[in-house]
Amino acid sequence: MIVVVGSINADLTVNVPRHPQPGETLLGNGGGITAGGKGANQAVAAARLGSPVAFVGAVGRDANAAPATALLADAGVDLTAVEPLDDVTGLAVITVAADGENTVLVISGANARVGREIVDKHADLIGRAEILLLQGEIPAAGCERAVEIAQAAGVRVVVNLAPVIPVDPAVLFAADPLVLNEHEAVLVARQLGLNDQVTATDLVRAGVHSVVITYGADGATIADEHGSTHIPAASVDPVDTVGAGDAFTGALCHKLREGELLIDAARYASRVGAFAVTRPGAQPSYPWPTDALPELP
């Protein structure tokens, strides 16, 4: 199975004609609560496509916990290792402009407590995984401990360091692949002492096993010890880009678990990401196996 150690959020989404300028007030609409969090998004994406997925994380004992986990449960994700804590459930305030571009402000809440203690509590589950999937919305200590457990058990590690947080370089070097968007790649490069004009190949040369850098509508680049390849994006009319990167990463892990090569998994993930942007929301926009995916050029 895929074990995700990560974040669970309630997403508060507001639609606006454009993003406000500093100090400006705009009228918007929406305001509904939906399920989100990078970890939860990626878990739902992989589970909807057919992978068995288990989740290690935390929610608060508040009104947002139920809607935040509803689509995880609906997709069949094992939530046994999701801890209810005396805290608030993570909250993401999302502003979506008419062109589909978004901004996201995250309040960590219970996610900030997914550190070594919670990870150690579920070490057996992590050690039985085929793939461990991590993001950057939990403390670095939790990520680092999860990697230690996975490596000791011979579990493949996939890291989507989003947002980019300072981590022990061992986390980056354990990733196979390390998945980043173009902005995150620059921040990771700085952690490794590399130039801002970083490429996927540069990160491999720095010691990362394999790397995927996504560029939105410009596709993605993958690199490993054998070289690099550009993967185009499908041409679609975007409605909402929230969670598209998470759809990509979840789909990538789904195909890697099935034994696909990284290049083939990334091509499939690009199609899933393109599908997601044609529908509103994050988790609700993710495809099921019966959905027709956009074709790559």
Side-chain angles (χ1 to χ4, degrees), residues 76-100:
V77 176
D78 182 347
L79 301 178
T80 306
V82 174
E83 303 279 344
L85 303 178
D86 291 326
D87 206 327
V88 296
T89 299
L91 178 67
V93 181
I94 302 167
T95 304
V96 182
D99 62 2

Side-chain angles (χ1 to χ4, degrees), residues 22-218:
E24 181 183 17
T25 298
L26 289 180
L27 294 177
N29 58 67
I33 295 287
T34 57
K38 287 188 175 297
N41 290 351
Q42 293 172 17
V44 169
R48 280 193 172 191
L49 293 169
S51 280
V53 181
F55 202 96
V56 177
V59 293
R61 291 188 174 95
D62 61 1
N64 285 337
T69 55
L71 292 184
L72 284 163
D74 181 66
V77 176
D78 182 347
L79 301 178
T80 306
V82 174
E83 303 279 344
L85 303 178
D86 291 326
D87 206 327
V88 296
T89 299
L91 178 67
V93 181
I94 302 167
T95 304
V96 182
D99 62 2
E101 285 300 323
N102 68 85
T103 61
V104 184
L105 175 65
V106 175
I107 300 164
S108 295
N111 296 317
R113 295 169 61 183
V114 185
R116 291 183 66 92
E117 182 178 351
I118 285 180
V119 170
D120 272 331
K121 184 175 179 180
H122 303 289
D124 181 66
L125 178 63
I126 295 168
R128 290 186 286 111
E130 293 170 89
I131 292 176
L132 167 68
L133 175 57
L134 298 164
Q135 311 78 31
E137 286 187 338
I138 62 170
C143 290
E144 291 160 4
R145 181 57 183 145
V147 167
E148 290 173 2
I149 295 167
Q151 287 191 304
V155 175
R156 183 174 191 168
V157 176
V158 178
V159 178
N160 171 223
L161 199 62
V164 176
I165 58 174
V167 293
D168 187 317
V171 171
L172 305 176
F173 297 145
D176 185 18
L178 175 63
V179 184
L180 306 163
N181 67 26
E182 57 189 307
H183 309 295
E184 293 155 359
V186 172
L187 297 176
V188 167
R190 292 173 184 172
Q191 286 194 28
L192 296 176
L194 303 177
N195 189 287
D196 284 2
Q197 305 302 314
V198 70
T199 65
T201 299
D202 293 331
L203 291 170
V204 171
R205 288 174 178 162
V208 183
H209 289 291
S210 61
V211 177
V212 179
I213 300 180
T214 60
Y215 298 92
D218 292 324

Side-chain angles (χ1 to χ4, degrees), residues 177-274:
L178 175 63
V179 184
L180 306 163
N181 67 26
E182 57 189 307
H183 309 295
E184 293 155 359
V186 172
L187 297 176
V188 167
R190 292 173 184 172
Q191 286 194 28
L192 296 176
L194 303 177
N195 189 287
D196 284 2
Q197 305 302 314
V198 70
T199 65
T201 299
D202 293 331
L203 291 170
V204 171
R205 288 174 178 162
V208 183
H209 289 291
S210 61
V211 177
V212 179
I213 300 180
T214 60
Y215 298 92
D218 292 324
T221 298
I222 67 168
D224 58 19
E225 61 181 1
H226 303 297
S228 66
T229 304
H230 179 73
I231 295 170
S235 179
V236 295
D237 295 322
V239 171
D240 182 355
T241 60
V242 172
D246 296 331
F248 180 102
T249 303
L252 183 81
C253 288
H254 166 67
K255 283 298 184 182
L256 291 176
R257 191 198 65 82
E258 290 190 332
E260 297 278 358
L261 296 174
L262 180 59
I263 184 170
D264 297 320
R267 288 181 64 85
Y268 177 80
S270 183
R271 297 172 65 202
V272 171

